[in-house]
């Protein structure tokens, strides 16, 4: 087995030993604004500092919780909640970025839910709006896969789980998410470029993880929380307080949404 996959197997064994759970059914990666959601999904039966687990690097961004939790849902499902995400902009390489996803697969998960906070390229899609990811644009210029690994990405974002999400909340819209490398935000010209090329949402995560997840055989579901309008979209410069307020206001709604979607997967 090649090195990144062996490391994921070691991480999975560690998690299995620490949690006492042999097989996790579903995995959840918590992005900005989504931290509170985990508590509604079920009962946390074990919480591990991510940095204790083989291959996990310390969190680089404040506010990103560095724990991996085992959560038991009301339906008796086991969810692996990854509160620690390594971003591409941290410069630890793509293997580190997708290690959590590969670990989830090695833990037995058959589906993964990827969440994030992002900017919107449409003025009418306001901060506080959750959006289903229907497809992506990879603007990082890299792949998490190595060698002749020709993976089909048609229907990468599971139509089945998107249907479940829309049954839970018929008002949910869908969009194309573009991952930029970051850590700087886009210029207004770059946001216009992204919109012209078909991006509804701009962010710095999710895409590389989704590709690695598909390669690992996971069913992928992605949901964004719009926390700001992309640069230059509004003539009004968005205040940080406004962004936080939008996130907080959306908190209970997106937490409930996520819990119901995971119950339905
Ligand atoms: I929160 O406007 C968040 N993350 N690239 N652009 C990019 N990432 C983001 C943005 C944004 N907002």
């Amino acid at each position: 087995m090649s090195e990144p996959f062996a490391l994921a197997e070691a991480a999975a064994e560690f998690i299995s030993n620490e949690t006492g759970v042999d097989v996790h059914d579903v995995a959840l990666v918590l992005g900005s604004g989504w931290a509170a959601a985990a508590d509604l999904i079920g009962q946390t039966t074990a919480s591990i500092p991510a940095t204790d687990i083989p291959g996990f690097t310390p969190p680089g961004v404040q506010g990103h919780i560095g724990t991996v939790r085992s959560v038991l849902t009301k339906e008796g499902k086991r969810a692996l909640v990854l509160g620690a995400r390594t971003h591409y902009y941290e410069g630890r390489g793509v293997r580190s970025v997708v290690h959590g996803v590969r670990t989830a697969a090695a833990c037995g998960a058959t589906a993964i839910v990827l969440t994030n906070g992002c900017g919107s390229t449409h003025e009418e899609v306001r901060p506080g709006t959750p959006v289903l990811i229907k497809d992506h644009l990879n603007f990082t210029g890299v792949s998490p896969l190595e060698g002749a690994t020709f993976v089909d990405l048609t229907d990468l974002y599971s139509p089945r789980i998107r249907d479940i999400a829309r049954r839970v909340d018929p008002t949910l819209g869908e969009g194309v998410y573009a991952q930029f490398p970051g850590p700087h935000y886009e210029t207004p010209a770059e946001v216009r470029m992204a919109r012209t090329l078909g991006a509804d949402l701009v962010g710095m995560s999710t895409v590389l993880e989704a590709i690695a997840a598909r390669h690992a055989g996971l069913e992928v579901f992605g949901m964004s929380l719009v926390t700001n309008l992309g640069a230059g979209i509004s003539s009004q410069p968005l205040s940080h307080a406004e962004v936080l307020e939008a996130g907080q206001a959306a908190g209970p709604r997106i937490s409930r949404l996520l819990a119901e979607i995971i119950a339905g997967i």
Side-chain angles (χ1 to χ4, degrees), residues 151-173:
V151 173
D152 174 46
L153 300 182
T154 312
D155 281 340
L156 172 57
Y157 297 91
S158 170
R160 184 185 77 88
I161 305 180
R162 281 189 278 140
D163 279 349
I164 291 169
R166 272 190 305 262
R167 233 170 289 142
V168 169
D169 183 348
T171 70
L172 278 173

Side-chain angles (χ1 to χ4, degrees), residues 32 117-119 180 184-186 202-204 227-231:
S32 323
C118 71
F180 281 85
H184 55 276
Y185 292 115
E186 297 72 36
V202 287
M204 303 178 193
T227 62
N228 59 279
L229 294 176

Side-chain angles (χ1 to χ4, degrees), residues 3-127:
E3 194 192 317
F5 297 94
L7 191 56
E9 289 293 338
E13 195 182 327
F14 185 90
I15 289 167
S16 170
N17 287 336
E18 289 290 309
T19 60
V21 177
D22 275 349
V23 174
H24 283 86
D25 306 299
V26 61
L28 167 64
V29 179
L30 296 173
S32 323
W34 292 87
D39 299 325
L40 273 189
I41 291 162
Q43 182 198 351
T44 298
T45 60
S47 186
I48 314 168
T51 46
D52 288 357
I53 307 170
F56 282 76
T57 47
V61 179
Q62 261 208 338
H64 290 219
I65 27 159
T67 62
V68 171
R69 276 174 283 177
S70 183
V71 174
L72 180 62
T73 72
K74 284 197 303 282
E75 294 77 24
K77 264 186 222 147
R78 281 284 175 184
L80 187 70
V81 179
L82 301 160
R85 177 183 247 149
T86 297
H87 286 88
Y88 181 62
Y89 58 69
E90 290 174 53
R92 295 181 165 115
V94 279
R95 285 183 177 186
S96 292
V97 172
V98 300
H99 177 62
V101 167
R102 286 177 174 154
T103 297
C107 285
T110 55
I112 191 162
V113 174
L114 301 169
T115 64
N116 63 57
C118 71
S120 163
T121 67
H122 307 285
E123 189 165 21
E124 67 278 12
V125 181
R126 310 298 300 179

